[in-house]
Amino acid sequence: MSIGHKFAYYENDVYVITEEERPDSTPISLPWNIYKDNVQLAAGYIRWSDEKQNSGHSHSIQERAIILKAQSLGFQGVVIFVEAAKSAYHYSVDKRKKMSELKEFILSNSNANSVIFYDESRVTRDITDFYKNIIVPLREKNSQLKLFSTQHDGEWNENDPLVQMKLAMDHDESVKKASRVRETQKNIFDNNRRPPASNPYGYSQANDEVDDLLPDENAGIVKLIFYLYSFGHSDGKIAELLELSQIPSPAGYGNWSDSTVRYILNNLWYIGNLAWDSRMSFSNSKKKSIEEFRILPNHHPALIEMGLWETTQFFRNLKSKRNRMDSPFILKNLVSCKECGEKLETKNQTSAKSKTDGSIYFCPKCKCKLKKDVLNQIVIQDFADRWGREIKLYLQRLKNEMTDWKRVCRRKVSNLTADTEKLRFTISTLNPTDENYTEILEITQLQLKFMEKDKILYINTQEKIELLLMEGVTIELVDRFKQDIHSYSNVEKRSILLLSVKAISYDFKRDDFEIEYRLTPYVEIETEMQLN
């Protein structure tokens, strides 16, 4: 069957056709073809709201009522569509997969002209979406469409005042319930506890009654994902590796995908922070800006050290600007022309018949060019020589630099605190009767807003630096520089160079170059500090 329903059972004189096999029943063969033979068929719709009900009795109660209704109406068969763990309040009819399949089934099968459901609350928690998205388009194709509720005698009529009242009451109940849930979650969060929710991948709870997220057997997989990404590997490549390794996905079924890996890499839970209310809405999973998150810092043990987190977030931001990591031009966007200052661009000039690589870096203004492999090789050799000489001194210089940064952050926070207090005092002295009061108030409040934002930024940066100074992960990052860089893949070489090299200047006239190395591998913090 094109709808994916492979199993049939005979119950109460009705053939029940399902997508999932019943573990306690033996499937049978249908005595007819539901598409080609003249058969009286109905489509049954079953839904429940959350995963906690998956192991309950909601499915069996609804299905049995639908089968008995089909028997009483004289149907030979009923095709069951099950929408598991899907809220009708949060997911309108057009966003529910099984409801869409039911709709397509009726449109494609002339034998099916009836829908049976348990009651109104199973098909909709809205007042109009079931009518607009299901009833109207189906009746345009089939004027004989009939609807039945197991809780009503006779045909279900969406125009019946009692039905409309029930729809309105169900909707009102859902709105009130959602409001109560949001308020309860807010109160729990305000008491520094985690509202009820599924555990993030890599964590579990010893006791559901205690707010104690602890690393579990999947914690190592989370660390592996961050570690691979910090070496430049893409979401898709990491997902592919996890699939090849036959590691179960977070859902426990289905495949690893780049979006699953991406969700883990963006999740503040893994540095020990409880992040809540981070989505734009229930139906829109796009993240708010981090300033709009509700965050409880140090809520649970971190799986990912701050150094590794900073490195992966640097690469995430870099890739969001279409900066490829898998390019053979491992120095792309790092090299400038000494003569004119323009960034060198890249081009593959290899002809179809050539056996040699014709890829080049070139200056778009001076038109000078250099073979890709030549520039790659001399920079990599300089890198290897530098770290062979200076690696022992680097860790101490790194510590000194970050200690200076911490002092800068403290000074900035102190100055901004004083400045914001002055602005608040200024606001309190403004006279509402003054001619330009509104304009002055708006300008001053805007200044205050920006200062408060900068203050939070420096406080957060200071906290990151303090963690970095305590962690051994800095040593792990520096250890990457100790290894023979020639042994790394191009992706890994590029990741290491981006963490260690700030800029390269190439002098085409003298056939020479200069490399400006970074002070630390924490690119975004370093950039922020150098702006101050």
Side-chain angles (χ1 to χ4, degrees):
M1 292 172 61
S2 59
I3 54 173
H5 287 56
K6 302 176 181 179
F7 306 99
Y9 304 91
Y10 193 65
E11 185 175 332
N12 291 95
D13 300 324
V14 176
Y15 288 94
V16 183
I17 304 158
T18 67
E19 192 171 6
E20 299 291 335
E21 185 174 8
R22 291 177 173 178
D24 55 349
S25 303
T26 303
I28 62 171
S29 297
L30 291 172
W32 22 254
N33 184 297
I34 65 169
Y35 285 96
K36 296 179 181 179
D37 297 330
N38 185 17
V39 185
Q40 288 184 298
L41 283 180
Y45 183 77
I46 294 171
R47 185 194 64 79
W48 58 90
S49 296
D50 60 58
E51 293 181 355
K52 291 180 180 179
Q53 295 174 284
N54 286 353
S55 58
H57 301 293
S58 183
H59 183 173
S60 58
I61 291 171
Q62 292 182 61
E63 185 177 78
R64 176 152 183 78
I66 289 171
I67 293 170
L68 290 173
K69 189 72 172 181
Q71 178 197 37
S72 70
L73 294 169
F75 287 104
Q76 294 170 270
V78 58
V79 181
I80 302 292
F81 293 83
V82 179
E83 201 90 66
K86 191 69 71 172
S87 165
Y89 177 71
H90 291 298
Y91 294 93
S92 58
V93 161
D94 57 319
K95 290 183 173 62
R96 281 183 255 148
K97 181 181 178 182
K98 296 304 172 183
M99 182 66 84
S100 297
E101 289 181 5
L102 179 149
K103 177 181 172 182
E104 291 304 315
F105 172 67
I106 292 177
L107 288 173
S108 65
N109 192 323
S110 59
N111 287 322
N113 62 2
S114 298
V115 179
I116 305 174
F117 46 85
Y118 184 75
D119 67 13
E120 293 85 350
S121 68
R122 298 305 88 199
V123 291
T124 182
R125 287 285 183 169
D126 197 332
I127 298 174
T128 61
D129 66 338
F130 184 59
Y131 175 75
K132 289 180 178 178
N133 293 289
I134 300 297
I135 296 175
V136 170
L138 287 180
R139 283 205 172 128
E140 286 177 352
K141 296 289 184 179
N142 183 354
S143 60
Q144 302 303 311
L145 176 74
K146 295 181 179 181
L147 301 158
F148 298 96
S149 166
T150 65
Q151 305 303 301
H152 290 268
D153 293 330
E155 189 175 342
W156 185 82
N157 181 0
E158 68 276 10
N159 295 313
D160 185 330
L162 292 177
V163 168
Q164 292 180 347
M165 183 175 69
K166 179 69 165 56
L167 289 171
M169 290 173 63
D170 288 342
H171 175 70
D172 187 53
E173 178 191 346
S174 293
V175 170
K176 289 179 179 177
K177 182 179 178 182
S179 178
R180 287 196 301 271
V181 169
R182 283 193 296 269
E183 188 61 30
T184 299
Q185 290 176 341
K186 179 181 180 299
N187 291 337
I188 293 172
F189 190 93
D190 289 344
N191 286 305
N192 296 329
R193 295 181 61 240
R194 183 172 77 109
S198 57
N199 296 324
Y201 181 71
Y203 287 102
S204 60
Q205 288 177 272
N207 187 336
D208 289 340
E209 302 300 320
V210 181
D211 190 19
D212 60 344
L213 281 181
L214 298 172
D216 64 15
E217 67 277 6
N218 294 315
I221 305 302
V222 173
K223 293 179 182 180
L224 175 65
I225 289 170
F226 276 86
Y227 186 73
L228 290 171
Y229 196 85
S230 74
F231 264 106
H233 296 289
S234 68
D235 306 328
K237 286 292 182 184
I238 295 171
E240 183 181 331
L241 173 65
L242 295 170
E243 276 295 297
L244 289 172
S245 303
Q246 298 184 338
I247 295 171
S249 71
Y253 57 87
N255 300 327
W256 280 91
S257 65
D258 56 350
S259 61
T260 305
V261 172
R262 188 159 51 249
Y263 177 79
I264 289 173
L265 289 166
N266 285 332
N267 202 324
L268 290 168
W269 291 79
Y270 295 118
I271 53 173
N273 295 339
L274 168 56
W276 200 259
D277 196 22
S278 59
R279 295 165 55 123
M280 297 298 288
S281 68
F282 187 93
S283 58
N284 183 356
S285 61
K286 183 180 178 181
K287 295 273 185 164
K288 299 176 181 176
S289 64
I290 194 166
E291 293 84 4
E292 297 177 276
F293 287 15
R294 303 195 70 198
I295 295 176
L296 286 179
N298 305 317
H299 171 266
H300 52 271
L303 294 186
I304 304 302
E305 298 87 351
M306 184 54 65
L308 184 54
W309 173 266
E310 282 296 304
T311 304
T312 54
Q313 297 314 300
F314 162 65
F315 285 125
R316 293 216 68 75
N317 293 334
L318 192 71
K319 291 179 183 180
S320 70
K321 300 170 185 174
R322 300 184 181 277
N323 205 320
R324 285 179 55 194
M325 296 297 294
D326 60 350
S327 169
F329 297 96
I330 59 175
L331 305 173
K332 188 174 182 180
N333 295 330
L334 284 174
V335 192
S336 299
C337 174
K338 176 77 171 179
E339 183 70 19
C340 67
E342 287 287 318
K343 280 278 178 73
L344 298 194
E345 296 183 6
T346 60
K347 190 174 184 179
N348 187 348
Q349 292 184 326
T350 309
S351 64
K353 296 181 180 180
S354 176
K355 294 183 179 179
T356 59
D357 188 353
S359 301
I360 60 168
Y361 293 96
F362 69 95
C363 176
K365 188 173 181 180
C366 300
K367 306 304 179 186
C368 299
K369 61 183 180 180
L370 184 67
K371 285 187 176 180
K372 175 202 71 180
D373 290 342
V374 170
L375 186 55
N376 286 356
Q377 185 176 351
I378 60 176
V379 170
I380 285 174
Q381 192 57 52
D382 186 275
F383 175 93
D385 293 343
R386 170 189 167 85
W387 292 109
R389 296 189 308 267
E390 300 185 18
I391 193 67
K392 292 181 181 179
L393 302 173
Y394 182 71
L395 277 173
Q396 187 57 48
R397 288 206 303 265
L398 177 61
K399 183 177 180 180
N400 293 342
E401 190 66 32
M402 290 197 293
T403 301
D404 288 342
W405 291 350
K406 189 166 73 168
R407 282 196 288 267
V408 170
C409 288
R410 283 176 177 168
R411 186 176 67 251
K412 288 285 186 181
V413 170
S414 178
N415 292 341
L416 285 165
T417 299
D419 290 343
T420 54
E421 287 175 358
K422 290 177 183 177
L423 276 180
R424 287 194 177 92
F425 176 76
T426 300
I427 291 172
S428 71
T429 62
L430 293 176
N431 188 343
T433 62
D434 288 349
E435 181 180 355
N436 298 318
Y437 169 78
T438 302
E439 291 81 359
I440 295 172
L441 179 63
E442 287 179 358
I443 292 170
T444 310
Q445 287 177 332
L446 188 62
Q447 286 179 306
L448 182 62
K449 180 181 178 182
F450 284 129
M451 283 184 183
E452 290 285 10
K453 187 174 181 181
D454 285 345
K455 180 181 173 181
I456 292 170
L457 174 66
Y458 284 111
I459 290 172
N460 291 340
T461 302
Q462 181 181 327
E463 290 174 352
K464 288 179 184 178
I465 294 168
E466 288 171 348
L467 285 171
L468 291 171
L469 285 168
M470 291 189 297
E471 290 175 354
V473 71
T474 298
I475 298 175
E476 189 280 318
L477 279 172
V478 175
D479 278 346
R480 301 182 187 190
F481 304 158
K482 292 182 185 180
Q483 306 303 318
D484 180 10
I485 192 170
H486 298 90
S487 66
Y488 289 121
S489 68
N490 272 353
V491 168
E492 293 163 345
K493 286 175 184 173
R494 180 159 169 74
S495 74
I496 289 170
L497 290 170
L498 286 168
L499 291 174
S500 59
V501 174
K502 184 176 182 180
I504 302 169
S505 175
Y506 195 85
D507 189 336
F508 286 96
K509 289 183 177 179
R510 297 176 56 195
D511 192 23
D512 197 10
F513 67 96
E514 294 177 3
I515 300 179
E516 181 183 359
Y517 284 95
R518 293 193 176 280
L519 300 171
T520 76
Y522 306 118
V523 179
E524 293 186 335
I525 296 178
E526 181 175 321
T527 301
E528 182 185 321
M529 290 295 101
Q530 289 179 342
L531 292 174
N532 297 282

